[in-house]
Amino acid sequence: MVELEIVKWVSLVLAVVIISMFDGSYAAFNPVDNYLIACGSSRNVTFQGKLFVPDSQQSSFVLKSQGDTAIVTSNSNSNVPSPIFQSARIFPAITSYKFDIHQQGRHWVRLYFFPLPNSGNDLESAPITVVTDKFVLINNFTFKNYNGSYLFKEYSVNVTSDTLTLSFIPFNNLVSFVNAIEVVSVPDELIPDQALPVSQSAPSHGLSALAFETVYRLNMGGPLITPQNDTLGRIWENDAKYLHVNSSAVNMSVNPATIKYPQSLVPEIAPNWVYATVDTMGDANVANLNFNMTWVLPVDPNYMYFVRVHFCDIVSKAMNSLVFNVYINSDIAFPSLDLSTVTGGLGVPYYKDFTSNTTMDSDTLNVGVGPDTAIDPPNAIMNGLEVLKISNDVRSLDGLSSVEGLLPELASKKHKVWIIVGLVVGCFTAVVFIALCYCCFIARRSKSSPQGHAWLALPLYGNSQTMTKNSTISQKSGTASCISLASSNFGRFFMFQEITDATNKFDESLLLGVGGFGRVYKGTLDDGTNVAVKRGNPRSEQGIAEFRTEIEMLSKLRHRHLVSLIGYCDERSEMILVYEYMANGPLRSHLYGTDLPPLSWKQRLEVCIGAARGLHYLHTGAAQSIIHRDVKTTNILLDENYVAKVADFGLSKTGPALDQTHVSTAVKGSFGYLDPEYFRRQQLTEKSDVYSFGVVLMEVLCTRPALNPVLPREQVNIAEWAMSWQKKGMLDQIMDPILVGKVNQASLKKFGETAENCLAEYGVDRPTMGDVLWNLEYALQLEETSSALTEPDDNSTNHIPGIPLTPIQPFDNSVSMIDGVTSGTDDDGEDAATSAVFSQLVNPRGR
Ligand SMILES: *[C@@H]1O[C@H](CO)[C@@H](O)[C@H](O)[C@H]1NC(C)=O
Ligand SMILES: *[C@@H]1O[C@H](CO)[C@@H](O)[C@H](O)[C@H]1NC(C)=O
Ligand SMILES: *[C@@H]1O[C@H](CO)[C@@H](O)[C@H](O)[C@H]1NC(C)=O
Ligand SMILES: *[C@@H]1O[C@H](CO)[C@@H](O)[C@H](O)[C@H]1NC(C)=O
Ligand SMILES: *[C@@H]1O[C@H](CO)[C@@H](O)[C@H](O)[C@H]1NC(C)=O
Ligand SMILES: *[C@@H]1O[C@H](CO)[C@@H](O)[C@H](O)[C@H]1NC(C)=O
Ligand SMILES: *[C@@H]1O[C@H](CO)[C@@H](O)[C@H](O)[C@H]1NC(C)=O
Ligand SMILES: *[C@@H]1O[C@H](CO)[C@@H](O)[C@H](O)[C@H]1NC(C)=O
Ligand SMILES: *[C@@H]1O[C@H](CO)[C@@H](O)[C@H](O)[C@H]1NC(C)=O
């Protein structure tokens, strides 16, 4: 009893502490590094509520000039636009400011320039070039052909060392200058590493290593927000002048105090003033599909852009009454955004990040919103919009010169020697470090994994008996070293020699397939058993993690409809998996793109039923369900008797624990099969597999790829295309012509309905794998009884003569699939091939 009381008290105290910490984080952001410098000034300057101190008085940064010392100019001229421009520092030679950085991560670098008249130099024509240690910020800018009176630039760079150097580089005997500099810490949450790419070449991740320049920051329907009103000192301007049609928008506002920030969104993302004002559709009741609000932003077409849209539903009276599309250029960047569903309430801020380039034919970036037709009255809103330029391949935000090209002395001989020495030492240290980490990682994983998966109350594939002998041998040979997986129940351990013997030294003629993970070979073991040998590509980064996942998952699962793992080999840092051999290869190769004989309807139903059984077992066979995450026709393999087995568990995740309804995770999987709900909300449930399985069903019926970019737009995505025919009850119009007239109508109808249910927009509306299985079995039964009663009739009613059938164009994705077992994850390849049709595949509404 006493103990219980203590526990109660401790948790109460903890809760109080946590809550107060939480409250604290709502206070204004306090940057660790906060340099505000009035260059060349002799006194402190207050500007926009910030205190700028003279650069001559700072001790925590160093001003280093080559050759002549920098000149200072001060001017009490009243013509300057603001006090911050009353002084400048002028650089006749390359000069650097070096800042001590106390907290690594993103920092604002803000630069202020104004060509002071009568400073003794012609600052109007002074070329301005500024670089950081890694990035070119401005290159050869002059005020000569510039319309504004002053120049303000804001950059965000990720500082990964404990200093930041800003170098000013004057050219051919002209001076350079600057009036004021800010170097200020940015909260880590502000700019993510990932964003949704809208155009093909736009990056989706790796953003943290790039530099950004703010080009637009707009407060829709609201006033100018000055740095005083933004904890991160940003400026948000009114959007009106960028509206394509200015009557298309009407502004609205609420009291900023009513904005409810969710826990997942720190108030630093944008001040409540941004979320409290909004542009809504000017004539919201126009039921014209093309009616939208678009902002047209002139940008430099040679760069990629990071686009952040801010939303907060302050206009609706009820939940789910505002659903709209977000467009970037002519693409649907976010289809059917239902704000109240994603935020769980009204007046709750939400934002989304994209990467994109400019429109095809003009130097503008167009961002727009338009109503979703399904909702009445139609409306769309936007609260804020940020557009940041992303540094290019030479790490420049201005031109094609790199820092190395602009700071030639970096490459001088004296430095070179040190660079080489440094590189050698660095590489050596890195290799040692990586090796150590890897060992620790593996050691920890293999120790903890039996515990971590205690819930898997399933027959273990290989138990210690089968492998003890082999693993002792491997330890004796000494090559398996500390990364050996042998201590846990991971199936049979193969020696590398056995593998090379089985595959005839990885003979290319035995190659079954190639994918992101590596190559798959057919092999024959000593006892004559055929196996499929998947050899990981050591350079594949995702490899190690997926290798582990696959071994862990597969070695603990055994089912007639799951491909069995026989063993593995991790000798000599190889990552090799040995599977049972599936003689008839992937299901997809029996549908299209090959010369293999087509499967009959009954065979197709049996294959689908087999795969459904495998997935049903994954979802329900264990104490905690397993979500496959990459269900597709290349991951369903057929053995010599055409028994379907589900393969490729590299992406699998264990399902939600009992107290959760979903698993939050970064979106992975294959385009064309991706559950739109998972895509939107990044919440993974078993129903995501059900959706992908629905795509498989449609593929089996229509014998065409899930995505086929060469088809007309409305046909590209099979889910959308087949659903539109299924809804009309005319699925037979697009089905495999070979089946026409040879399929029992009731069976086809049942099949179509099952696929339709699987492809339901919302997970809750989709059946479980168990229901799918039941329905498919029923469809098979209908087919079997009918074929027992009547002979198939070529003039059967399910083909209406005179209506042409859709041409089927075999389209092979970039994954080379020769025969036999599918390769590892091929996301990367498919990404490239399919993101051209991004707008279709992110549009989950089949219409
Ligand atoms: C400028 O401000 C700093 C910090 O508030 C202060 O220490 C310093 O004395 C001030 N300098 C001048 C010249 O006013
Ligand atoms: C800078 O631009 C001027 C024209 O504005 C050009 O004449 C000059 O060559 C450029 N300098 C460099 C180093 O690119
Ligand atoms: C500067 O202003 C002139 C006239 O107002 C305009 O024609 C020109 O395009 C402007 N240039 C820039 C770079 O904005
Ligand atoms: C932007 O991306 C699209 C799609 O990848 C490409 O077709 C277009 O040429 C790109 N535009 C520019 C200006 O680079
Ligand atoms: C900055 O870069 C480092 C190293 O690349 C990375 O670990 C860190 O997450 C980045 N920080 C931000 C805020 O992007
Ligand atoms: C909102 O619209 C009204 C007229 O429609 C206009 O007078 C007002 O300036 C606008 N407010 C802002 C902040 O744009
Ligand atoms: C900005 O802050 C000032 C005072 O700091 C306040 O008077 C003003 O109303 C604020 N305006 C906006 C739009 O936030
Ligand atoms: C657009 O707005 C400007 C002022 O911002 C106004 O003069 C003009 O008449 C408006 N045009 C239309 C079509 O409403
Ligand atoms: C937005 O509306 C304009 C006409 O107002 C139309 O030309 C354009 O195609 C629409 N954009 C989208 C993405 O629907």
Side-chain angles (χ1 to χ4, degrees), residues 615-633:
L615 288 173
H616 179 55
Y617 171 78
L618 277 184
H619 289 179
T620 57
Q624 195 178 3
S625 77
I626 295 169
I627 304 169
H628 185 288
R629 289 224 282 181
D630 204 12
V631 176
K632 52 182 175 178
T633 46

Side-chain angles (χ1 to χ4, degrees), residues 823-840:
S823 47
T825 322
D826 38 42
D827 285 1
D828 294 352
E830 288 191 355
D831 280 359
T834 51
S835 50
V837 286
F838 196 79
S839 55
Q840 281 85 3

Side-chain angles (χ1 to χ4, degrees), residues 73-84:
T73 187
S74 257
N75 197 320
S76 50
N77 192 325
S78 57
N79 278 340
V80 299
S82 79
I84 198 70

Side-chain angles (χ1 to χ4, degrees), residues 694-695 698-699 701-702 704 714-715 717-731 734 752 755-756 759:
V695 177
M698 289 301 193
E699 226 179 311
L701 180 68
C702 305
R704 53 151 285 186
E714 69 278 9
Q715 304 184 18
N717 188 337
I718 196 176
E720 249 176 76
W721 178 236
M723 279 292 263
S724 65
W725 288 93
Q726 166 64 20
K727 286 198 172 131
K728 289 184 271 184
M730 303 200 315
L731 203 51
I734 58 164
E756 179 181 6
L759 293 173

